[in-house]
Coordinates of all heavy atoms in Angstrom, one line a residue:
N302 N 9.4 -1.2 -40.4 CA 9.9 0.0 -41.0 C 9.4 0.2 -42.4 O 9.1 1.3 -42.8 CB 11.5 0.0 -41.1 CG 12.1 0.2 -39.7 OD1 11.5 0.8 -38.8 ND2 13.3 -0.4 -39.5
E303 N 9.2 -0.9 -43.1 CA 8.5 -0.9 -44.5 C 7.1 -0.4 -44.3 O 6.6 0.4 -45.1 CB 8.6 -2.2 -45.1 CG 9.9 -2.6 -45.8 CD 10.3 -1.7 -46.9 OE1 9.4 -1.4 -47.8 OE2 11.4 -1.2 -46.9
C304 N 6.4 -0.9 -43.3 CA 5.0 -0.5 -43.1 C 4.9 1.0 -42.7 O 4.0 1.7 -43.1 CB 4.4 -1.3 -42.0 SG 4.2 -3.1 -42.4
L305 N 5.9 1.5 -42.0 CA 5.9 2.9 -41.5 C 6.0 3.9 -42.7 O 5.6 5.0 -42.6 CB 7.0 3.1 -40.6 CG 6.8 2.7 -39.1 CD1 8.1 2.7 -38.3 CD2 5.7 3.6 -38.5
K306 N 6.5 3.4 -43.8 CA 6.6 4.3 -45.0 C 5.2 4.6 -45.6 O 5.1 5.6 -46.3 CB 7.4 3.6 -46.1 CG 8.9 3.4 -45.7 CD 9.6 2.6 -46.8 CE 11.1 2.4 -46.5 NZ 11.8 1.6 -47.5
E307 N 4.2 3.7 -45.3 CA 2.9 3.9 -45.8 C 1.8 4.3 -44.8 O 0.8 4.8 -45.2 CB 2.5 2.6 -46.6 CG 3.4 2.2 -47.7 CD 2.8 1.0 -48.5 OE1 1.6 0.8 -48.4 OE2 3.6 0.3 -49.1
I308 N 2.1 4.1 -43.5 CA 1.1 4.2 -42.5 C 1.4 5.3 -41.6 O 2.4 5.4 -41.0 CB 1.0 2.9 -41.7 CG1 0.5 1.7 -42.7 CG2 0.0 3.0 -40.6 CD1 0.6 0.4 -42.1
K309 N 0.4 6.2 -41.4 CA 0.5 7.4 -40.5 C -0.1 7.2 -39.1 O 0.2 7.9 -38.2 CB -0.2 8.6 -41.2 CG 0.2 8.9 -42.6 CD 1.7 9.2 -42.7 CE 2.1 9.6 -44.1 NZ 3.6 9.8 -44.2
A310 N -0.9 6.1 -39.0 CA -1.5 5.9 -37.7 C -0.5 5.5 -36.6 O 0.6 5.1 -36.9 CB -2.5 4.7 -37.8
K311 N -0.9 5.8 -35.4 CA 0.0 5.4 -34.3 C -0.4 4.2 -33.5 O 0.4 3.3 -33.2 CB 0.1 6.6 -33.3 CG 0.9 7.8 -33.9 CD 1.1 8.9 -32.9 CE 1.9 10.1 -33.4 NZ 2.1 11.2 -32.4
R312 N -1.7 4.1 -33.3 CA -2.2 3.0 -32.4 C -3.1 2.1 -33.3 O -3.6 2.5 -34.3 CB -3.0 3.6 -31.2 CG -2.2 4.5 -30.3 CD -2.8 4.8 -29.0 NE -2.0 5.7 -28.3 CZ -0.9 5.3 -27.5 NH1 -0.7 4.0 -27.4 NH2 -0.2 6.1 -26.9
V313 N -3.2 0.9 -32.8 CA -4.0 -0.1 -33.5 C -5.3 0.3 -33.9 O -5.8 0.2 -35.0 CB -4.1 -1.5 -32.7 CG1 -5.0 -2.4 -33.4 CG2 -2.7 -2.1 -32.5
R314 N -6.0 1.0 -33.0 CA -7.4 1.4 -33.2 C -7.5 2.5 -34.3 O -8.6 2.8 -34.8 CB -8.0 1.9 -31.9 CG -7.4 3.2 -31.4 CD -8.2 3.8 -30.2 NE -7.6 5.1 -29.8 CZ -6.7 5.2 -28.8 NH1 -6.2 4.1 -28.2 NH2 -6.2 6.4 -28.5
E315 N -6.4 3.0 -34.7 CA -6.4 4.1 -35.8 C -6.1 3.5 -37.2 O -6.2 4.2 -38.2 CB -5.4 5.2 -35.4 CG -5.6 5.9 -34.1 CD -4.5 6.7 -33.7 OE1 -3.4 6.7 -34.3 OE2 -4.6 7.4 -32.7
L316 N -5.8 2.2 -37.2 CA -5.4 1.6 -38.5 C -6.7 1.5 -39.4 O -7.7 1.0 -39.0 CB -4.8 0.2 -38.3 CG -3.4 0.2 -37.7 CD1 -3.1 -1.2 -37.3 CD2 -2.4 0.8 -38.6
T317 N -6.5 2.0 -40.7 CA -7.6 1.9 -41.6 C -7.6 0.6 -42.3 O -6.6 -0.2 -42.2 CB -7.5 3.0 -42.7 OG1 -6.3 2.8 -43.5 CG2 -7.5 4.4 -42.0
M318 N -8.6 0.3 -43.1 CA -8.7 -0.9 -43.9 C -7.5 -1.0 -44.8 O -6.8 -2.0 -45.0 CB -10.0 -1.0 -44.7 CG -10.1 -2.2 -45.5 SD -10.5 -3.6 -44.5 CE -12.2 -3.2 -44.1
A319 N -7.2 0.2 -45.5 CA -6.1 0.2 -46.4 C -4.7 0.0 -45.7 O -3.8 -0.7 -46.2 CB -6.0 1.6 -47.1
D320 N -4.6 0.5 -44.5 CA -3.4 0.2 -43.7 C -3.2 -1.3 -43.4 O -2.1 -1.8 -43.6 CB -3.5 0.9 -42.3 CG -3.4 2.4 -42.4 OD1 -2.9 3.0 -43.4 OD2 -3.9 3.1 -41.5

Side-chain angles (χ1 to χ4, degrees):
N302 287 333
E303 282 295 312
C304 293
L305 280 167
K306 294 177 182 179
E307 300 185 22
I308 297 171
K309 306 300 182 185
K311 290 186 177 180
R312 301 191 181 276
V313 171
R314 67 173 184 268
E315 299 169 355
L316 292 169
T317 65
M318 181 76 70
D320 292 337

